[in-house]
Amino acid sequence: MKDIPRITSSTAAKSEFYPELLEQIKAITEDQSYWVTNLSNAAAIIYHELRGLAFFQAKPINWAGFYLVDPNDDQKLILGPFQGKVACTEIPFSKGVCGAAATTRTTQVIKDVHQFPGHIACDSASNSEIVVPLVKDGRLLGVLDIDCEETEGFDECDQAGLEAVAKVIIDNCAW
Ligand code: SME
């Protein structure tokens, strides 16, 4: 098993957290190109490290994972690898925060999901959410979706960090 760098309590400041998260994601994906494998490990790292960060900064993540463009319907997302409670299996592009990220191909930082028209409540514990689109060479592949139990769980720092993480994942997988 490859040695994956760990994030320690001394690096729990969010500005230092994301570069270290990026190194972990690079290390776990660079020798592997199968997307199921890489997305599974990426979901596990993101979920557990963000919850570790939450220990210091009180940000309780309750779901982290991927929705992928349905190979049989390019206007629909289907559930991919994730960590957290059971989630809805299909999301049309016209629905939810994930649908908005897929349609606009821009990251959605939603401070209060209950104020978002069409939000899909898979887990009633979710109060805020960030969704990063995965786009490679102009092709939408899916989205990275992370939920938080607190309102205003994500900001521009999370957005920049997670967009960089998404890029590494995209580049290290064969799609
Ligand atoms: N809340 C999402 C649906 C997916 S779950 O959060 C896992 C949305 O509105 O797109």
Side-chain angles (χ1 to χ4, degrees):
M1 173 76 184
K2 191 167 170 172
D3 194 25
I4 305 300
R6 300 295 304 169
I7 296 173
T8 63
S9 58
S10 62
T11 59
K14 203 154 66 173
S15 57
E16 296 166 42
F17 170 83
Y18 278 109
E20 298 206 11
L21 183 71
L22 196 62
E23 288 310 308
Q24 282 200 63
I25 298 285
K26 274 183 189 161
I28 201 74
T29 60
E30 65 189 357
D31 297 330
Q32 175 60 251
S33 62
Y34 186 42
W35 66 267
V36 175
T37 306
N38 283 345
L39 267 49
S40 300
N41 270 335
I45 289 173
I46 292 166
Y47 179 82
H48 289 286
E49 294 296 0
L50 276 173
R51 283 170 68 93
L53 178 70
F55 177 75
F56 297 98
Q57 300 201 349
K59 185 158 77 166
I61 301 303
N62 60 307
W63 201 91
F66 298 88
Y67 280 90
L68 300 155
V69 176
D70 186 336
N72 299 312
D73 180 353
D74 67 4
Q75 292 302 301
K76 195 168 78 183
L77 296 163
I78 51 174
L79 183 62
F82 71 95
Q83 298 271 312
K85 287 187 182 171
V86 167
C88 53
T89 55
E90 300 183 356
I91 301 178
F93 278 23
S94 56
K95 293 247 173 77
V97 183
C98 290
T103 305
T104 61
R105 298 188 176 196
T106 57
T107 298
Q108 306 291 304
V109 182
I110 309 300
K111 295 188 183 308
D112 180 354
V113 293
H114 307 292
Q115 303 301 319
F116 187 91
H119 169 250
I120 302 162
C122 291
D123 181 348
S124 60
S126 300
N127 280 305
S128 60
E129 181 165 4
I130 185 167
V131 183
V132 180
L134 308 178
V135 181
K136 186 172 194 176
D137 301 329
R139 175 181 160 215
L140 180 73
L141 303 164
V143 301
L144 164 61
D145 179 14
I146 307 175
D147 291 3
C148 182
E149 291 182 2
E150 283 190 354
T151 53
E152 302 190 21
F154 304 100
D155 60 17
E156 318 74 49
C157 178
D158 299 290
Q159 177 176 351
L162 291 166
E163 286 177 348
V165 162
K167 183 170 186 329
V168 166
I169 295 168
I170 291 164
D171 289 345
N172 284 347
C173 292
W175 298 94

